[in-house]
Amino acid sequence: MNTCPECYSEKSRITPMYKPYECLSEHTQYVCGTCHRCICIEKDQTRGLYRWNFPFKSLEDAKLYFRTAEFVLKEPCAIYELKPDKNRSTFKIFRNKLELTNYLKRNKTIKCNKTPVFKTDKYCEYPKTEVRRLTMDEVNFYMSGR
Ligand SMILES: [Zn+2]
Ligand SMILES: [Zn+2]
């Protein structure tokens, strides 16, 4: 399978990664207009954060949520590898290098070489993208395809 040009994944049913049934039925989804993959784009009520604002365990996982960051910000973004300690890496999506630099100032123990491990150069819109809650029929259909 080829990588989806819109959402950067080869697997069109891989997300949601966390509690997929609950996520699909209770959270707003970015529905890829190209491969129909659903990506959680629910804004946390208390802190106003999306899943993509948090660090990911792997580059692959971060890439799965990358499109929602671009879509919310309407800008190309970048993923950086962060090292909270010597033996551990996490991957986080940032709008740009300035945002990364500010983050590193607030989190002084985290190391980063400031070279993106994945980035896009230009933000594109796709005509068939939908951002909405799914119906129960759609949730069941999507889950049956996983
Ligand atoms: Zn969700
Ligand atoms: Zn896609």
Side-chain angles (χ1 to χ4, degrees):
M1 262 210 265
N2 296 324
T3 301
C4 177
E6 176 174 342
C7 73
Y8 317 108
S9 174
E10 292 167 22
K11 298 167 188 156
S12 64
R13 294 294 179 272
I14 194 166
T15 45
M17 293 193 296
Y18 316 97
K19 296 189 184 168
Y21 191 82
E22 285 83 347
C23 184
L24 287 170
S25 38
E26 292 164 25
H27 295 164
T28 303
Q29 302 291 320
Y30 176 99
V31 184
C32 177
T34 307
C35 74
H36 309 297
R37 182 164 71 91
C38 290
I39 318 167
C40 182
I41 193 164
E42 181 79 9
K43 198 175 189 178
D44 172 80
Q45 294 294 317
T46 46
R47 289 174 299 173
L49 297 173
Y50 299 91
R51 179 60 190 91
W52 64 260
N53 289 118
F54 295 91
F56 292 88
K57 278 184 205 142
S58 69
L59 173 60
E60 195 184 47
D61 290 356
K63 273 171 83 173
L64 292 176
Y65 285 78
F66 188 81
R67 178 62 190 165
T68 53
E70 285 191 318
F71 186 79
V72 167
L73 300 171
K74 306 285 181 227
E75 279 181 51
C77 295
I79 300 172
Y80 292 89
E81 181 176 4
L82 304 177
K83 293 207 166 271
D85 56 63
K86 262 187 212 139
N87 305 315
R88 201 157 62 91
S89 283
T90 60
F91 296 82
K92 194 173 181 313
I93 303 166
F94 291 92
R95 182 196 297 256
N96 51 38
K97 199 164 264 182
L98 178 66
E99 200 177 71
L100 168 72
T101 309
N102 289 336
Y103 178 86
L104 294 172
K105 273 183 203 156
R106 292 195 306 272
N107 298 276
K108 293 207 188 297
T109 55
I110 296 178
K111 300 274 179 278
C112 177
N113 68 8
K114 297 186 189 171
T115 305
V117 287
F118 180 77
K119 74 179 182 78
T120 41
D121 296 318
K122 162 163 138 339
Y123 172 71
C124 301
E125 297 261 345
Y126 292 84
K128 290 181 184 157
T129 302
E130 292 181 54
V131 174
R132 60 177 176 84
R133 294 278 179 99
L134 303 190
T135 65
M136 284 323 285
D137 279 351
E138 288 174 319
V139 171
N140 290 324
F141 181 73
Y142 188 89
M143 288 298 291
S144 72
R146 279 168 66 97

